[in-house]
Amino acid sequence: MTRRSCAVYTVGVISAHLLVVGVALMVAQVFRTVMHDRLKKEIVLVEGSRVFESWKTPPPPVYMEFFFFNVTNVNEFLGGAKPQVSQVGPYTYREYRYKDNVSMLDGNNRVSAYNTKSFVFLRDRSVGDPAEDNITTVNIPAWAVMNKVKDSFWKSSVVSLLMNSVGSGLFTTRTVDELLWGYEDPLLRRVAATSPDVEAVFGLMYKKNGSNDGEFVFNTGQQNHLDYGRVVTWQGQSQLTFWSSNQSNSINGSDGSAFHPLLDRKERIYVFTPDLCRSIHMDFEKDVEVKGIPAFRFTPPRSVFASKEENPANEGFCVTPQECLGTGLLKVSPCRKGAPVVASFPHFFLADSQYVSAVGGMRPDRAHHQTFLDLNPVSPPSMHLTALWSHLLVPLCYCIHTTHTHNTLSVVIDDASAARIHKLLLIVTLGSNFPLIIVALGGVLLLVFIILMVRDRKHKVLSPTACWRLSMAVL
């Protein structure tokens, strides 16, 4: 056999080496471990890290959509009829959010920041002009004052006289701008004259444009990647004081802007939201794809707002034992200065059917009213691929009879960020699958070796020892 035949043996030896090395690396998952360890070290909330700037100023645009329920039969309702409402909206605002007053703490293991938000109205994404469109709805200031004095006959009588004198009724018609950003209420103005702690202005988003919810302290994830973005304290507290149990007062998870890398489908993620005065959890629902990027969809289960009978862990959210609401409702009065307000998902989605059937015009729909987060398990966790956060505010006075407004926060990753994630995923995929590439190359060379051996069967061969020495010399 010629030197060409010895080259055949060389191919065989190389293929054997590649197969052995590739399989060994696959079994040991060396490259996968290396890539994951690198991600854990790089994705930390520390100045100079690859995610710090995007965490401080998230690149994807955020849109806040407000929907109102216009009460169409006020007189009939006051006469005892079932309320009828029609949904009006959306009134869409571009929400600009950024972390302000950022400070590193505890040797870069923690970082403090204020989540500052501002809103700019977008006419092209809205159904009308918020300065001109009127909404007839429950007069929350009136109900709040009445709820405050409900246990005193004398005070209730005084409030009734005040309401008559200023022309304040159980319902009010206001513009969208007034309902959102505030208006001077005649009843509150009279009350504020003798009670300095009461403001004369009421609005669902009053003083929230250009403001923040207080100081957050986050874990940077430097010591443990699972703690990345986790809220350590809010407004200087590691526990809330609104509720009646330690579990309900616990601050769990992130603020919804960042989640740790390398998420798993089996995980339960937690989000603390000041709007609801509590933490909620989300479970994996299904695999989805956003702009060509694979993602895990997490959604809150029914148990989040379940009654204490359905989920005993929620008993701590009962303001008093007599004020435990049914499944789908959460009284948030403790963190709303006592205002008789209840939170729910839009159109009482996931709530008991009694609430849905009690109001004409409620049409809960999973496709439109479900809250969800679409997260890629590998990409920088401050970049949500998609986020839809919805909740409904309901006046407690007639929480099963009237509804007020719901807002939807939507975030979809921008094209530039999507392109960066595609590039990152390609690098991670190639790095993690490098052993597989080695095995595939070894398999191809093995096939070539077999073909060459068959073709050279008729030729004279050198001694195997000579070919072996030549092959090893080549290697």
Side-chain angles (χ1 to χ4, degrees):
M1 187 175 179
T2 63
R3 286 183 175 270
R4 178 176 174 276
S5 299
C6 279
V8 173
Y9 283 94
T10 302
V11 171
V13 172
I14 293 174
S15 67
H17 276 75
L18 290 175
L19 288 171
V20 171
V21 172
V23 171
L25 290 175
M26 287 179 63
V27 171
Q29 294 189 332
V30 174
F31 280 84
R32 181 182 179 88
T33 301
V34 169
M35 292 299 297
H36 285 186
D37 286 344
R38 183 176 177 182
L39 283 174
K40 294 174 185 178
K41 291 180 180 180
E42 290 188 0
I43 300 180
V44 291
L45 295 179
V46 176
E47 290 188 32
S49 71
R50 63 184 301 168
V51 298
F52 194 67
E53 290 303 318
S54 63
W55 173 76
K56 289 199 301 183
T57 309
V62 180
Y63 300 103
M64 179 72 83
E65 297 178 328
F66 293 94
F67 297 82
F68 292 83
F69 291 101
N70 192 52
V71 183
T72 59
N73 64 336
V74 171
N75 294 331
E76 292 82 355
F77 169 69
L78 293 176
K82 175 180 176 177
Q84 298 293 326
V85 300
S86 61
Q87 179 174 285
V88 181
Y91 294 90
T92 305
Y93 293 78
R94 170 72 187 271
E95 180 179 324
Y96 294 89
R97 49 173 62 190
Y98 60 92
K99 301 291 193 298
D100 199 11
N101 293 332
V102 178
S103 300
M104 303 306 302
L105 308 171
D106 189 25
N108 287 346
N109 289 323
R110 296 180 180 182
V111 56
S112 65
Y114 291 81
N115 295 329
T116 302
K117 303 175 184 178
S118 59
F119 302 88
V120 177
F121 179 66
L122 301 178
R123 183 64 182 86
D124 60 325
R125 287 175 169 260
S126 305
V127 298
D129 186 346
E132 297 180 359
D133 295 356
N134 289 316
I135 303 293
T136 298
T137 186
V138 172
N139 188 349
I140 290 185
W143 282 108
V145 174
M146 288 190 298
N147 185 68
K148 197 79 172 177
V149 300
K150 64 181 179 181
D151 296 326
S152 171
F153 174 77
W154 182 82
K155 291 182 178 179
S156 297
S157 300
V158 172
V159 168
S160 180
L161 291 173
L162 278 176
M163 290 178 63
N164 288 330
S165 66
V166 300
S168 182
L170 300 179
F171 288 85
T172 185
T173 299
R174 298 283 179 177
T175 66
V176 170
D177 262 349
E178 288 177 320
L179 290 173
L180 284 178
W181 308 111
Y183 62 93
E184 187 176 68
D185 181 80
L187 178 60
L188 291 180
R189 185 175 65 246
R190 293 290 295 272
V191 175
T194 56
S195 301
D197 59 323
V198 176
E199 291 198 59
V201 178
F202 168 79
L204 295 170
M205 297 291 290
Y206 179 54
K207 291 186 176 180
K208 290 190 175 182
N209 198 350
S211 65
N212 59 72
D213 295 315
E215 184 190 45
F216 282 83
V217 174
F218 303 93
N219 197 303
T220 63
Q222 186 169 248
Q223 293 181 318
N224 187 339
H225 79 283
L226 295 177
D227 288 331
Y228 174 91
R230 180 175 60 81
V231 177
V232 180
T233 63
W234 174 60
Q235 294 186 347
Q237 297 179 319
S238 58
Q239 282 274 110
L240 303 175
T241 57
F242 304 128
W243 313 111
S244 60
S245 71
N246 289 333
Q247 181 177 351
S248 299
N249 280 317
S250 296
I251 298 177
N252 297 320
S254 74
D255 66 341
S257 66
F259 297 91
H260 71 77
L262 307 177
L263 281 168
D264 189 89
R265 293 179 179 87
K266 297 179 182 179
E267 284 189 61
R268 168 170 283 183
I269 63 174
Y270 289 85
V271 178
F272 169 68
T273 166
D275 288 337
L276 296 179
C277 323
R278 60 165 290 185
S279 299
I280 69 168
H281 61 267
M282 297 187 183
D283 295 328
F284 172 79
E285 181 182 279
K286 62 181 179 179
D287 289 288
V288 296
E289 191 173 281
V290 181
K291 294 189 176 182
I293 303 171
F296 298 159
R297 173 160 294 181
F298 289 87
T299 60
R302 175 183 167 93
S303 60
V304 169
F305 283 160
S307 65
K308 67 173 184 177
E309 290 78 18
E310 189 175 329
N311 182 8
N314 283 347
E315 185 172 359
F317 294 112
C318 298
V319 180
T320 66
Q322 294 74 33
E323 295 182 272
C324 283
L325 304 178
T327 292
L329 300 180
L330 172 69
K331 184 178 180 182
V332 293
S333 302
C335 65
R336 298 269 178 167
K337 297 183 178 180
V341 179
V342 170
S344 169
F345 292 121
H347 287 255
F348 296 125
F349 175 64
L350 295 181
D352 286 341
S353 58
Q354 60 174 320
Y355 301 121
V356 179
S357 60
V359 183
M362 292 292 100
R363 298 180 179 84
D365 181 7
R366 187 180 191 86
H368 295 97
H369 304 138
Q370 182 187 49
T371 291
F372 64 84
L373 290 172
D374 293 340
L375 303 171
N376 181 272
V378 177
S379 63
S382 58
M383 297 182 182
H384 302 124
L385 303 187
T386 310
L388 183 67
W389 176 257
S390 301
H391 68 274
L392 168 73
L393 293 181
V394 189
L396 177 64
C397 47
Y398 279 95
C399 65
I400 64 171
H401 296 307
T402 62
T403 56
H404 192 65
T405 181
H406 81 261
N407 59 285
T408 298
L409 176 70
S410 62
V411 186
V412 179
I413 190 169
D414 59 295
D415 292 337
S417 297
R420 289 196 296 271
I421 290 181
H422 274 294
K423 183 178 180 179
L424 173 64
L425 291 179
L426 177 61
I427 295 173
V428 172
T429 301
L430 289 176
S432 300
N433 293 325
F434 188 68
L436 186 61
I437 297 174
I438 294 177
V439 172
L441 182 58
V444 170
L445 290 178
L446 178 62
L447 181 61
V448 172
F449 170 69
I450 294 173
I451 294 173
L452 293 177
M453 285 292 292
V454 171
R455 292 180 59 183
D456 285 355
R457 285 181 62 186
K458 298 180 180 180
H459 296 272
K460 275 179 93 173
V461 298
L462 293 173
S463 69
T465 302
C467 285
W468 170 259
R469 290 175 178 171
L470 183 59
S471 300
M472 295 307 295
V474 172
L475 291 176

